[in-house]
């Protein structure tokens, strides 16, 4: 896959798109591909990822719950880990599998949401 140009994450996303039957409609950049994948998530998962993105690449589930103002985020975080957006790094801690995923989620926040979350 020469489109990946040596970027293993882009290659992974291209392979994921092909496996999902979307190989012919993939965006030209890895960031655009991740943003398109992010938009296909359900609203709650996107909301949890956006909240987590404010906290950095590695974060604690309790911190995400505090940002969202609700205690029940564990199921969403586990689901996002199964979908390979996040990795469990022990206890209640998670990390974005790729910084590009965090960047894409953070870019979806409105300025007012960023100010409120920070």
């Amino acid at each position: 896959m020469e489109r990946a140009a040596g970027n293993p994450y882009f290659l992974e996303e291209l392979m994921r798109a092909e496996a999902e039957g979307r190989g012919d409609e993939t965006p030209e950049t890895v960031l655009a591909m991740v943003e398109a994948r992010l938009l296909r998530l359900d609203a709650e998962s996107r909301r949890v990822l956006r909240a987590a993105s404010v906290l950095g690449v590695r974060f604690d589930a309790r911190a995400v719950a505090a940002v969202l103002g609700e205690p029940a985020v564990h199921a969403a975080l586990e689901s996002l880990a199964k979908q390979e957006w996040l990795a469990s790094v022990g206890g209640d801690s998670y990390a974005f599998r790729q910084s590009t995923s965090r960047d894409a989620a953070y870019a979806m926040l409105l300025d007012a949401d960023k100010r409120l979350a920070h």
Side-chain angles (χ1 to χ4, degrees):
M1 293 250 162
E2 61 188 60
R3 275 187 61 200
N7 182 326
Y9 186 52
F10 196 13
L11 180 59
E12 180 182 333
E13 289 299 318
L14 287 169
M15 290 172 36
R16 183 186 317 279
E18 189 66 36
E20 293 173 353
R22 296 177 298 95
D24 294 338
E25 56 189 64
T26 56
E28 290 299 315
T29 67
V30 68
L31 184 58
M33 184 170 283
V34 172
E35 287 172 344
R37 184 173 167 230
L38 188 58
L39 289 171
R40 286 191 302 277
L41 286 173
D42 63 272
E44 180 63 14
S45 294
R46 277 195 313 273
R47 194 167 82 89
V48 169
L49 274 181
R50 288 192 314 262
S53 74
V54 172
L55 301 168
V57 173
R58 187 175 175 157
F59 55 89
D60 187 271
R62 292 175 299 242
V64 175
V67 168
L68 293 175
E70 57 190 63
V73 297
H74 287 29
L77 292 170
E78 284 299 313
S79 175
L80 289 162
K82 288 178 185 170
Q83 296 174 61
E84 299 182 339
W85 284 98
L86 306 173
S88 176
V89 291
D92 280 344
S93 295
Y94 291 86
F96 281 88
R97 285 191 62 243
Q98 297 290 331
S99 61
T100 306
S101 298
R102 185 226 169 231
D103 295 345
Y106 191 80
M108 294 183 98
L109 289 168
L110 301 173
D111 288 339
D113 293 334
K114 289 176 188 175
R115 282 191 299 277
L116 183 62
H118 284 287

